[in-house]
């Protein structure tokens, strides 16, 4: 399952530590006991033990492992109109395979944004126990929504409750199942006539009850929030992760900026981009997709991200992967979108995927960067993501190390 990497030095590397946007030439990385002991210029490497294994990387690019902050490992690459309909047995097998695939894609950590049948909890435990291969995972249970919310459609994905006390009970039930993250739907989707973006499915008191109960139980709260109204409701209640944030007014941006040290925003743009590009494969015409508003949603997201960057709100990658038009294993496309749609440099996109994502998983700062004391999660790339961010989508060019252990392909 793993090839151990014990007390090892990687030399002659091009090093991206993610502590800033620079690349260190002729660098060295020293790993021992699953931690980084040194990462910097090779001529500054401290003396190492005589039995240290030294690997010359011949100028290959080395970066921290990335974090998928909107993960749906139990999704089976099915039609987006059939999410949650996969039988639990098949979904479980799918999740195990997807966990390995995510790690092989260079994503050494993940934040679950909803799991069918609460599979992610068992998945997290199996990964932590070394039974299966996968990323460090903050596990969510079923999506929590209200009656007539975007997820009020049955199947294995949703848990429906109404009123502050029933929602507190639902959070307590998820705590009993040992989730790390409670995922809630605050508004909906343009394809859903009963809960489109902007139509809030919870009252303020309901969202406040969810967040209060979750935080009392030391759980994080992730939310689906597309509209400015949904984002404002989420931020005022104290959520930890905001997914989408497509349509933001100035008040929403100001609120996010005021709480930028407490939360993370993931635009999760893959669904819109690929729905527009591949709609006909789903039996939907491009004209219908335009009428549904998805071109406008992409344009609005680009503008919202511009405002969030100006306000220095922490952005993270993760895009609802696990559906037919945005399948598992293509997670690194998010970095391409960050560069091509949002106007980031490749280094800025890498920081969103590494340092920011690491903080989203572990606020201690031990993940997502390559510096003394960091967890030894790194990706060795045969190529240069600074020159071509799309190289990260080619798994054959990635060598992945998680906690000092190299992952077999």
């Amino acid at each position: 399952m793993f090839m151990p990497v014990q007390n090892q030095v990687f030399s002659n590397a091009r090093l991206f530590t993610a502590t800033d946007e620079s690349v260190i030439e002729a660098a060295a990385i020293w790993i021992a006991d699953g931690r980084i002991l040194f990462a910097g210029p090779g001529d500054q490497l401290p003396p190492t033990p005589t039995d240290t294994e030294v690997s010359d990387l011949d100028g290959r690019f080395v970066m921290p492992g990335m974090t998928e902050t909107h993960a749906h490992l139990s999704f089976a690459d099915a039609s987006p109109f059939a999410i949650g309909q996969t039988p639990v047995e098949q979904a479980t097998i799918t999740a195990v395979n997807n966990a390995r695939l995510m790690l092989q894609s260079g994503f050494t950590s993940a934040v679950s944004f909803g799991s069918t049948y609460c599979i992610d909890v068992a998945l997290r435990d199996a990964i932590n126990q070394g039974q299966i291969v996968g990323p460090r995972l903050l596990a969510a249970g079923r999506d929590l929504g209200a009656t007539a919310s975007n997820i009020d459609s049955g199947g294995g994905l949703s848990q429906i409750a109404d009123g502050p006390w029933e929602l507190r009970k639902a959070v307590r039930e998820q705590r009993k199942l040992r989730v790390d993250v409670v995922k809630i739907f605050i508004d909906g989707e343009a394809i859903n006539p009963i809960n489109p973006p902007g139509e809030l499915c919870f009252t303020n008191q309901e969202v406040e009850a969810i967040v209060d109960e979750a935080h009392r139980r030391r759980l994080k709260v992730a939310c689906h929030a597309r509209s400015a109204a949904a984002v404002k409701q989420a931020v005022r209640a104290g959520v930890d992760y905001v997914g989408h944030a497509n349509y933001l007014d100035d008040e929403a941006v100001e609120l996010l900026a005021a709480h930028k040290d407490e939360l993370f925003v993931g635009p999760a743009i893959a669904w819109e981009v690929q729905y527009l590009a591949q709609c006909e494969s789903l039996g939907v015409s491009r004209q219908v997709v335009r009428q549904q508003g998805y071109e406008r949603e992409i344009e609005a997201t680009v503008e919202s991200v511009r405002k969030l960057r100006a306000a220095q709100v922490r952005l993270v990658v993760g895009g609802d992967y696990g559906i037919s038009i945005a399948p598992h294993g293509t997670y690194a496309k998010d970095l391409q979108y960050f560069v091509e749609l949002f106007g980031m440099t490749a280094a800025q996109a890498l920081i969103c995927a590494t340092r920011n994502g690491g903080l989203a998983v572990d606020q201690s700062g031990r993940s997502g960067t390559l510096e003394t004391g960091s967890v030894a999660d790194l990706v060795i790339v045969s190529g240069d993501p600074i020159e071509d961010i799309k190289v990260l989508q080619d798994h054959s060019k990635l060598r992945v190390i998680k906690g000092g252990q190299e992952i077999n392909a």
Side-chain angles (χ1 to χ4, degrees):
M1 189 176 294
F2 293 110
M3 293 177 59
V5 179
Q6 300 293 337
N7 210 45
Q8 181 162 9
V9 168
F10 293 105
S11 64
N12 193 17
R14 299 186 65 241
L15 175 62
F16 182 80
T17 66
T19 56
D20 57 34
E21 297 179 28
S22 65
V23 176
I24 302 171
E25 304 291 342
I29 305 98
W30 179 12
I31 297 172
D33 298 323
R35 295 281 178 179
I36 302 293
L37 296 189
F38 174 84
D43 59 7
Q44 297 179 21
L45 177 69
T48 60
T50 55
D51 62 348
T52 299
E53 179 183 343
V54 179
S55 298
D56 188 328
L57 294 183
D58 194 27
R60 289 183 179 83
F61 190 92
V62 179
M63 57 182 276
M66 295 177 282
T67 298
E68 166 60 49
T69 57
H70 198 122
H72 293 298
L73 286 165
S74 60
F75 284 14
D77 289 348
S79 164
F81 304 115
I83 293 174
Q85 304 305 313
T86 305
V88 62
E89 297 86 357
Q90 181 182 342
T92 302
I93 294 170
T94 294
V96 171
N97 292 333
N98 289 336
R100 174 183 282 274
L101 180 56
M102 183 173 285
L103 191 55
Q104 291 171 341
S105 303
F107 288 78
T108 54
S109 297
V111 178
S112 173
F113 242 68
S115 167
T116 58
Y117 309 103
C118 206
I119 289 170
D120 280 5
V121 171
L123 199 66
R124 174 203 64 201
D125 292 347
I127 292 169
N128 291 345
Q129 293 162 13
Q131 296 173 320
I132 63 173
V133 176
R136 306 174 192 280
L137 179 63
L138 294 185
R142 298 181 190 229
D143 291 342
L144 183 55
T147 300
S149 64
N150 188 61
I151 55 165
D152 188 8
S153 57
L157 183 60
S158 61
Q159 181 175 2
I160 303 301
D162 297 294
W165 285 105
E166 283 302 306
L167 287 162
R168 284 184 184 273
K169 180 181 178 181
V171 172
R172 292 170 184 175
E173 289 170 345
Q174 294 209 8
R175 175 68 181 101
K176 185 176 179 180
L177 294 171
R178 299 185 304 108
V179 305
D180 303 304
V181 179
V182 176
K183 160 71 178 300
I184 64 175
F185 265 76
I186 293 183
D187 65 356
E189 283 287 345
I191 58 173
N192 188 340
I194 64 169
N195 189 207
E199 182 177 305
L200 304 183
C201 65
F202 291 120
T203 65
N204 292 341
Q205 292 81 3
E206 287 175 319
V207 180
E208 289 163 3
I210 292 168
V211 175
D212 176 68
E213 192 66 39
H215 286 175
R216 286 197 314 108
R217 302 293 181 127
R218 298 181 300 280
L219 307 178
K220 300 288 189 181
V221 179
C223 74
H224 170 113
R226 292 201 178 277
S227 64
V231 169
K232 285 184 277 193
Q233 188 181 66
V235 176
R236 287 170 177 148
V239 302
D240 304 284
Y241 310 115
V242 178
H244 304 298
N246 308 101
Y247 307 97
L248 298 182
D249 58 20
D250 290 343
E251 184 183 19
V253 174
E254 290 169 4
L255 265 175
L256 286 164
H259 295 272
K260 63 185 178 182
D261 295 330
E262 305 157 25
L263 53 74
F264 299 85
V265 178
I269 196 74
W271 150 246
E272 294 96 327
V273 172
Q274 292 304 321
Y275 183 43
L276 193 63
Q278 301 184 55
C279 55
E280 292 180 357
S281 71
L282 302 171
V284 182
S285 72
R286 194 175 181 89
Q287 181 179 358
V288 168
V289 174
R290 289 196 182 103
Q291 290 172 347
Q292 290 171 333
Y294 281 101
E295 280 189 343
R296 293 193 301 276
E297 189 158 290
I298 293 171
E299 293 168 358
T301 307
V302 170
E303 176 61 16
S304 292
V305 170
R306 184 191 66 77
K307 293 177 180 178
L308 292 174
R309 291 180 64 197
Q312 298 183 324
V313 174
R314 292 179 297 191
L315 296 168
V316 290
V317 304
D320 268 337
Y321 294 95
I323 54 178
S324 59
I325 56 175
H328 286 288
T330 64
Y331 320 106
K333 274 187 174 290
D334 253 40
L335 285 87
Q336 179 183 346
Y337 300 145
F338 276 37
V339 171
E340 295 180 355
L341 289 176
F342 301 150
M344 293 187 186
T345 66
Q348 289 167 342
L350 287 173
I351 285 176
C352 292
T354 56
R355 184 179 70 196
N356 289 0
L359 286 169
V361 170
D362 181 358
Q363 288 278 350
S364 72
R366 294 175 296 180
S367 181
T369 59
L370 297 179
E371 53 188 324
T372 300
S374 297
V375 173
D377 292 353
L378 54 148
V379 182
I380 301 170
V381 186
S382 296
D384 187 351
I386 299 296
E387 292 297 323
D388 180 11
I389 197 70
K390 294 190 294 294
V391 71
L392 296 175
Q393 298 172 35
D394 186 346
H395 300 175
S396 70
K397 295 184 177 180
L398 307 181
R399 185 175 164 191
V400 182
I401 293 170
K402 175 192 170 190
Q405 294 182 309
E406 187 160 357
I407 309 305
N408 286 329

